[in-house]
Amino acid sequence: MPVSETKLLMKYADEPGYTPGIESYLAVGGYEMLKKAVGMKPEDIRGEVKASGLRGRGGAGFPCGVKWDLVDRKSGKPIYLICNCDESEPGTFKDRQLVHKDPHQLIEGMMISAFANDVKFAVIYIREEMPKGAKILDAAIDEARARGFVGSNICGTGFSCELIVHRGAGAYICGEETGLIESLEGKRAYPRIKPPYFPAVLGLYNCPTIVNNVETLCNVVHILRMGAAEYCKIGRPNNTGTRLWCVSGHVQRPGYYEVAGITMGQLLYDLCGGPLPGRSFKAIVPGGGSMKILRYDEKFKGKKPDGAAYEYGVDDIPLDFDGVAAAGSMSGSAGMMVMDDSVDILEALANLMQFYAHESCGQCTPCREGSQWARKITARMCSSNAKPGDLDTLYDMAGNIGGRTVCPMGFSTTWPVQSYIDKFRDEIEAKARDNRCGMPREARLIQK
Amino acid sequence: MSEPTKDDGLISVNIDGVDVRCRPGDNIVEVAASAGCEIPHYCYHPKLSISGNCRMCLVEMGLPGKDRATGKNLTNPDGSPLIQWFPGPAIGCGTKAAPGMHIRTKSEMVTKCREGVMEFLLLNHPLDCPICDQAGECRLQEFSTHYGRGYSRFLEEKNVKPKRTVLGPRVILDDERCILCSRCIRFSREIAKDDVLGFTDRGSYSTLTCYPGRQLENNYSLNTVDICPVGALTSTDFRFKMRVWFLKQTPSIDTETSVGCNTEVWSREGKIYRITPRRNDEVNDTWMPDSGRVLYKQVEAGNRLQQSLVRGQTAALDEALREATALLKNGPVAVVGSGRSSVEEQFLLAKLAAALGGAKAQLVSRVGEGDDLLVSKDKNPNVRGALVSGLIDALPEAKLDGLAASIDSGKVKTLLVVGEDLTLAGLSEAQLAKVAIVYIGTHLDATAAKAAVVVAGLTVFEKFGSFVNQQFRLQKFQKAVPGPAGATDDLVVLASLLANVSGSQAPSTLESVWTAMSAERPVLAGLSYARIQATGTLLDGAAWSGLPFVETKTLHFEPAAKPVLAVAGA
């Protein structure tokens, strides 16, 4: 039987007639959880969130409750809450949906989180390239403030928390939490060195700071509504709740899907309609452009509870943090990019390298120089100028980037390069050979 | 040195298998260096905040393992602590020493990291070392030899970045050589307090630039050139003048104010090419003002005295000294010394003043604007030297009104002046015309022009000596270049005059002057020129602590924020 979506965050947003306005949100029970929250003890809310097992939806999947626990509450300094809406990973567009279609859900989630963490000032850091989202959020905050859900004396309880929208200037690095904080402080968005400065202790203006993704904060509303125990029933243990998967590329019905507890094959076939007519799947990038690519015909080794080994394919990968990780990649920001047999894998890699070379912030030597080098090599291989040994150089050089930089974004060059070469070396070498003696790049692309 | 004991607050850090004692929180790059182990680095500078971006100092790090459940230390079968190594490399500059920490600086992973970083750094860097002005002082060159892979795999076209970008009146940027270590940015912000530099553009197109409408023009701008680890920032004054390996380095002291910044004078074949700071953590850290760097130009200034003069005519030293002696013996003499003379010269001058009638010499005060960094209000480098040597008892005054009155009343017939232009100290030309002047100095000023006898002396770059700075720190300077053939060391001149006037032998060498000084001046007891340490010797200035000195504080780098230790689990 075909699976269906498990709608939690997008339950109402996708309904016909539902608008980003506050009336729509109130009509479906909006802000009831905030009213409930301000009557609770903050530590009880934090306990619920921790018990829910909610893992951060920004990419790393760090448990939200644990992140909140790390906050230094004894420093006497104000605690800040930042909503990371700097969504810019290739293939990822889920936060945009939440902001555009149901901004009050985010605001409510933020206000509950603010109350739970004694936050008096919260910020939504939104990417420059989402001007519409910024306008929607501004309007929504005004509405919420007029109703007493944001600002001073929230819900008449004496709890006050200001919420503002801050528009970034458009840089990939601003999605990294310390780069975001630097940007918010008005500086060039260079990530901070960690350790010792973790945002939970020294974040915005050297005060304890929580940085959470849009989807993570939206989930807080539902955790409170359902209770941790009930929430945990969605998904698998350690992978609780739903996830908004963004599927782009060569499927019949690309888009975003809110699902829980299904496999990659169920998403690709049941929800996305399978490959385009006459085509077959070739490769999947599961969690956004920086994640390792999976060959569609790849086989993985698993272990059943009784210890027996078995083999499974891409279609059977459980679609959650641990499932994708077990297959050697990461679910990251859940931006799934699907490639069918029409894709020139070398072109795809060159395209990604162009992105990461452009977006490298330039702070650390390996990422700054390595990403540009990878771009140049892959672009050259795509033109008629590939040289023997290019791939070995590329592979080895990429290995010198990831894990050697201030922030984890060095991996954005390393992982694609190494996984594309690991999985498709023969094809890339053949393409490079063909390109060398073949027709100009533009002509080849048009012919496809 | 005695072996540190357990309760001295020190901890043990293991570097490449060798236990090194250090303070908790010490920087690992420094700890390794103290053990004779070099961790190469570009962006790290001991006096600046940590940026950790060059990634050259990557090392492997491990900590003693703890059992999560019980909190007990994990041990190997032989009972030694079990070291849990981090899976990836860590930056040495951002790592603080912790008890039991293990560091590997020569492992396979570290070697590969360094080769990788060197290769990346050189990708877009022009490999034009033979013409680069930083040759000889370029760490890119040095580290590529020591830690690089030896060849490049880069087949692509290099990025083309601008050349000869003028950042300010004294600093030029060759963009294509910049490795974006941000030392210059951090220096401007943290030390010079002139936040004027920043990066613009992204990725490998990032470039260093001044903020719009601003220039790197503060009085400390040339320090950015000193700390630039590659050939990106160069001094407009020194650029392409001379290869550094041809130059001789002579330790010296900046004479522009009483701070007494420690300097290095770079010369070749009797010509000075530049002055750079010399590290002295007690005085100037590793910095010095731009204004002190151009002082070498006084050596070849147009008004430099090349010969002694008697009544305006060139004269041999003997003749000048004979004339001077006659004038000094002739009548009541007033002595004006200099806060720019060395301690030794001041001591001899004090002797000479005593021999000439017992009156104390006077000094001319020179007070201007200080900057709370390395330029103090007192523009004399050695007022305290004059106190220490016994030349004066009270602080100098800006205007020599008493002297002017004495001249007017005819109480003074002869003036012995060392290196001071009295027209700037309140005396009129008419007053100077009333007396016979014996002038010992280096440059032809209004007073020298009026003098009956002028004896050409040596600048601070041309002789040995010492100054006492505002902390009462006795610091020595050394001779970098010979002076003009017709100029003579003040010590010799003063000793000759003293001998002529008193009729007895006078000490004329540094050693003999010091023998006399340490015997006569209790504050210098037990000292000799050779025993003054390279970073200076602090004297007990308690005897003069009540005097109203004009200086404010000296520069010392203090980190902006106290480091906070990482939280658990993160």
Side-chain angles (χ1 to χ4, degrees):
Chain A
M1 201 182 103
V3 297
S4 58
E5 291 188 65
T6 310
K7 293 210 171 187
L8 203 62
L9 308 186
M10 280 296 180
K11 185 171 182 185
Y12 302 108
D14 287 338
E15 292 293 318
Y18 189 85
T19 71
I22 196 166
E23 298 303 338
S24 281
Y25 191 61
L26 290 173
V28 297
Y31 288 111
E32 289 303 320
M33 287 308 113
L34 176 59
K35 289 176 194 163
K36 176 182 166 189
V38 292
M40 292 171 70
K41 283 186 188 160
E43 55 266 36
D44 290 347
I45 304 175
R46 296 202 297 270
E48 281 295 294
V49 171
K50 195 169 181 187
S52 76
L54 173 66
R55 291 174 69 174
R57 304 296 202 236
F62 191 79
C64 179
V66 176
K67 199 174 205 178
W68 288 6
D69 272 356
L70 295 175
V71 169
D72 179 5
R73 297 176 207 282
K74 294 195 181 108
S75 65
K77 296 187 207 169
I79 300 168
Y80 293 115
L81 171 67
I82 300 172
C83 169
N84 185 345
C85 186
D86 192 79
E87 184 173 56
S88 47
E89 178 76 356
T92 312
F93 44 86
K94 63 185 177 66
D95 292 342
R96 178 185 302 243
Q97 309 305 328
L98 289 164
V99 164
H100 281 202
K101 294 179 177 168
D102 206 353
H104 284 285
Q105 183 179 224
L106 172 62
I107 293 169
E108 185 176 9
M110 286 189 74
M111 286 300 114
I112 296 170
S113 306
F115 179 77
N117 289 288
D118 194 26
V119 170
K120 303 286 190 297
F121 188 83
V123 181
I124 302 174
Y125 186 99
I126 190 166
R127 192 172 175 71
E128 170 64 22
E129 286 85 340
M130 287 165 67
K132 189 178 162 193
K135 274 186 196 154
I136 290 171
L137 282 171
D138 269 331
I141 291 171
D142 286 347
E143 284 178 330
R145 184 178 285 111
R147 306 274 180 140
F149 299 131
V150 165
S152 54
N153 196 19
I154 289 171
C155 301
T157 59
F159 167 64
S160 300
C161 179
E162 199 43 67
L163 175 63
I164 63 155
V165 174
H166 181 96
R167 294 183 64 180
Y172 183 71
I173 195 60
C174 294
E176 198 275 346
E177 59 182 4
T178 57
L180 186 157
I181 288 170
E182 288 282 298
S183 164
L184 203 52
E185 290 181 358
K187 296 182 248 172
R188 187 180 167 92
Y190 273 169
R192 296 177 180 175
I193 319 177
K194 297 146 281 183
Y197 303 111
F198 285 91
V201 178
L202 287 178
L204 185 63
Y205 306 121
N206 277 343
C207 296
T209 302
I210 302 166
V211 185
N212 280 147
N213 172 259
V214 173
E215 191 185 343
T216 314
L217 290 165
C218 288
N219 266 297
V220 172
V221 181
H222 301 279
I223 290 167
L224 212 59
R225 180 170 56 79
M226 302 165 74
E230 199 62 24
Y231 183 87
C232 283
K233 290 179 185 166
I234 309 175
R236 288 198 301 160
N238 201 34
N239 297 272
T240 54
T242 62
R243 279 208 87 179
L244 272 169
W245 285 84
C246 317
V247 186
S248 58
H250 300 143
V251 289
Q252 302 229 12
R253 289 189 295 276
Y256 63 89
Y257 296 91
E258 186 173 9
V259 297
I262 67 167
T263 63
M264 203 172 276
Q266 285 170 320
L267 174 67
L268 290 173
Y269 286 94
D270 295 358
L271 296 172
C272 297
L276 295 170
R279 294 291 184 185
S280 55
F281 290 141
K282 179 177 184 175
I284 313 286
V285 181
S290 57
M291 296 301 144
K292 290 178 186 169
I293 197 169
L294 301 174
R295 259 184 98 108
Y296 188 67
D297 57 7
E298 215 173 325
K299 295 286 177 232
F300 311 98
K301 285 188 167 56
K303 252 188 189 164
K304 288 179 178 167
D306 62 1
Y310 73 106
E311 225 177 39
Y312 63 100
V314 166
D315 281 345
D316 297 320
I317 295 174
L319 203 56
D320 52 34
F321 292 104
D322 295 340
V324 182
S329 187
M330 273 172 76
S331 56
S333 56
M336 183 183 292
M337 302 195 288
V338 183
M339 303 180 196
D340 69 15
D341 54 354
S342 70
V343 170
D344 180 335
I345 213 79
L346 176 56
E347 291 282 352
L349 179 60
N351 185 313
L352 267 185
M353 288 305 105
Q354 188 164 7
F355 176 84
Y356 291 112
H358 182 259
E359 292 296 339
S360 169
C361 80
Q363 182 180 19
C364 317
T365 308
C367 174
R368 177 182 74 233
E369 303 297 343
S371 59
Q372 188 69 231
W373 190 8
R375 181 192 73 77
K376 285 177 174 174
I377 295 179
T378 49
R380 183 165 52 74
M381 291 177 77
C382 288
S383 70
S384 47
N385 214 358
K387 304 259 193 303
D390 272 349
L391 277 193
D392 293 331
T393 304
L394 190 62
Y395 194 93
D396 184 64
M397 171 273 279
N400 286 336
I401 305 174
R404 278 124 168 91
T405 52
V406 167
C407 83
M409 287 183 181
F411 283 116
S412 303
T413 305
T414 306
W415 283 341
V417 165
Q418 295 198 331
S419 66
Y420 280 52
I421 296 177
D422 280 340
K423 309 277 172 80
F424 295 97
R425 178 180 272 271
D426 290 350
E427 182 189 329
I428 296 174
E429 276 176 349
K431 289 283 177 193
R433 248 192 329 270
D434 293 351
N435 292 349
R436 262 212 304 284
C437 50
M439 55 186 117
R441 182 184 186 194
E442 290 72 18
R444 289 198 316 274
L445 290 175
I446 290 165
Q447 211 184 35
K448 276 199 171 108
Chain B
M1 239 169 83
S2 62
E3 197 63 25
T5 50
K6 280 274 175 195
D7 54 2
D8 55 6
L10 298 183
I11 56 166
S12 207
V13 171
N14 186 290
I15 311 262
D16 291 331
V18 178
D19 280 332
V20 181
R21 304 281 287 170
C22 63
R23 289 166 305 196
D26 274 358
N27 188 290
I28 284 299
V29 172
E30 303 290 343
V31 173
S34 73
C37 170
E38 180 184 63
I39 297 178
H41 55 269
Y42 292 107
C43 67
Y44 168 71
H45 187 286
K47 300 290 179 183
L48 298 175
S49 63
I50 305 287
S51 71
N53 59 11
C54 78
R55 317 309 283 182
M56 190 65 203
C57 64
L58 290 167
V59 293
E60 261 187 278
M61 180 173 76
L63 289 170
K66 271 193 194 324
D67 190 304
R68 285 203 173 187
T70 61
K72 279 189 181 162
N73 293 331
L74 296 173
T75 52
N76 291 313
D78 66 357
S80 60
L82 177 78
I83 301 304
Q84 290 179 328
W85 291 91
F86 286 47
I91 45 171
C93 70
T95 302
K96 295 184 186 329
M101 179 181 267
H102 276 55
I103 299 287
R104 288 179 185 147
T105 73
K106 297 181 172 70
S107 66
E108 199 177 324
M109 185 213 277
V110 174
T111 304
K112 183 157 171 31
C113 284
R114 288 175 183 170
E115 285 181 1
V117 171
M118 276 318 307
E119 187 177 36
F120 287 135
L121 282 171
L122 293 171
L123 289 187
N124 287 303
H125 192 95
L127 298 174
D128 54 357
C129 303
I131 63 159
C132 173
D133 203 41
Q134 196 81 347
E137 293 186 320
C138 176
R139 313 208 84 186
L140 209 53
Q141 218 176 25
E142 290 163 9
F143 291 163
S144 67
T145 312
H146 294 172
Y147 307 107
R149 60 166 51 237
Y151 61 94
S152 174
R153 299 176 288 181
F154 191 65
L155 305 174
E156 325 304 322
E157 280 189 19
K158 286 177 187 269
N159 293 343
V160 179
K161 286 191 188 177
K163 278 201 78 73
R164 292 180 290 281
T165 305
V166 175
L167 285 189
R170 294 173 291 281
V171 181
I172 287 181
L173 165 67
D174 283 305
D175 262 310
E176 88 281 40
R177 297 202 175 98
C178 177
I179 59 163
L180 306 163
C181 71
S182 81
R183 277 183 176 188
C184 52
I185 297 176
R186 283 175 282 145
F187 170 82
S188 300
R189 190 174 293 154
E190 294 162 11
I191 307 292
K193 315 283 185 207
D194 182 26
D195 192 1
V196 64
L197 293 174
F199 290 133
T200 184
D201 285 338
R202 280 205 299 243
S204 67
Y205 297 104
S206 295
T207 48
L208 177 69
T209 187
C210 288
Y211 291 162
R214 301 282 312 278
Q215 276 202 87
L216 179 62
E217 56 188 348
N218 64 63
N219 194 25
Y220 293 86
S221 68
L222 281 169
N223 290 290
T224 61
V225 173
D226 299 332
I227 58 176
C228 180
V230 299
L233 294 177
T234 48
S235 153
T236 313
D237 184 40
F238 177 67
R239 195 174 147 91
F240 298 120
K241 297 263 169 67
M242 183 56 72
R243 288 302 193 191
V244 289
W245 59 81
F246 290 138
L247 297 174
K248 181 185 74 170
Q249 282 167 263
T250 309
S252 190
I253 301 292
D254 179 9
T255 56
E256 60 178 327
T257 72
S258 63
V259 173
C261 290
N262 291 213
T263 61
E264 208 74 75
V265 177
W266 300 71
S267 63
R268 186 190 186 199
E269 293 177 355
K271 185 178 165 64
I272 301 174
Y273 286 87
R274 67 169 181 180
I275 298 176
T276 58
R278 177 164 52 95
R279 180 169 175 176
N280 184 346
D281 288 355
E282 302 301 322
V283 179
N284 54 314
D285 288 331
T286 53
W287 321 116
M288 73 175 288
D290 292 0
S291 42
R293 296 174 193 253
V294 293
L295 294 183
Y296 75 89
K297 297 194 173 182
Q298 62 180 246
V299 170
E300 294 184 0
N303 63 343
R304 180 72 200 273
L305 288 169
Q306 307 281 339
Q307 290 284 334
S308 297
L309 307 169
V310 173
R311 285 176 289 277
Q313 298 299 310
T314 303
L317 180 63
D318 287 359
E319 188 191 343
L321 291 178
R322 255 197 322 272
E323 287 287 335
T325 306
L327 290 173
L328 292 177
K329 282 184 169 170
N330 188 29
V333 183
V335 177
V336 181
S338 174
R340 290 167 170 173
S341 295
S342 69
V343 178
E344 298 81 3
E345 292 160 2
Q346 289 170 339
F347 176 73
L348 281 192
L349 186 64
K351 291 256 174 220
L352 182 56
L356 287 170
K360 281 276 177 195
Q362 304 187 61
L363 242 53
V364 179
S365 154
R366 213 177 259 111
V367 176
E369 284 295 305
D371 63 4
D372 281 353
L373 294 177
L374 290 174
V375 173
S376 72
K377 285 182 176 172
D378 189 348
K379 304 300 180 191
N380 276 324
N382 201 26
V383 166
R384 283 168 183 77
L387 294 166
V388 165
S389 64
L391 180 63
I392 55 171
D393 289 332
L395 289 182
E397 292 163 5
K399 298 290 178 202
L400 302 178
D401 294 336
L403 180 60
S406 303
I407 292 172
D408 286 337
S409 65
K411 281 187 198 160
V412 170
K413 286 267 182 279
T414 304
L415 274 182
L416 172 59
V417 183
V418 180
E420 294 287 353
D421 183 0
L422 300 183
T423 60
L424 300 176
L427 270 63
S428 66
E429 301 224 343
Q431 284 166 331
L432 291 183
K434 290 181 189 170
V435 288
I437 301 174
V438 174
Y439 182 91
I440 303 170
T442 54
H443 292 78
L444 187 68
D445 55 29
T447 304
K450 286 260 182 275
V453 177
V454 173
V455 183
L458 297 175
T459 65
V460 69
F461 307 108
E462 298 157 344
K463 59 190 179 186
F464 292 88
S466 57
F467 293 131
V468 180
N469 85 344
Q470 52 167 283
Q471 313 164 340
F472 277 94
R473 179 176 296 274
L474 179 67
Q475 306 193 103
K476 59 184 171 186
F477 55 88
Q478 295 178 26
K479 178 175 175 171
V481 291
T488 313
D489 195 331
D490 286 11
L491 274 192
V492 175
V493 175
L494 292 168
S496 301
L497 291 177
L498 180 55
N500 292 351
V501 168
S502 65
S504 61
Q505 273 292 92
S508 65
T509 62
L510 272 183
E511 289 72 23
S512 55
V513 171
W514 266 97
T515 307
M517 274 205 301
S518 58
E520 284 185 33
R521 307 295 301 169
V523 65
L524 298 176
L527 274 171
S528 66
Y529 190 73
R531 291 184 68 173
I532 303 173
Q533 291 160 25
T535 53
T537 298
L538 207 55
L539 301 178
D540 181 7
W544 300 282
S545 60
L547 295 177
F549 294 109
V550 295
E551 294 96 339
T552 46
K553 61 173 186 176
T554 48
L555 166 73
H556 279 288
F557 174 67
E558 288 154 20
K562 277 193 178 171
V564 175
L565 287 178
V567 289

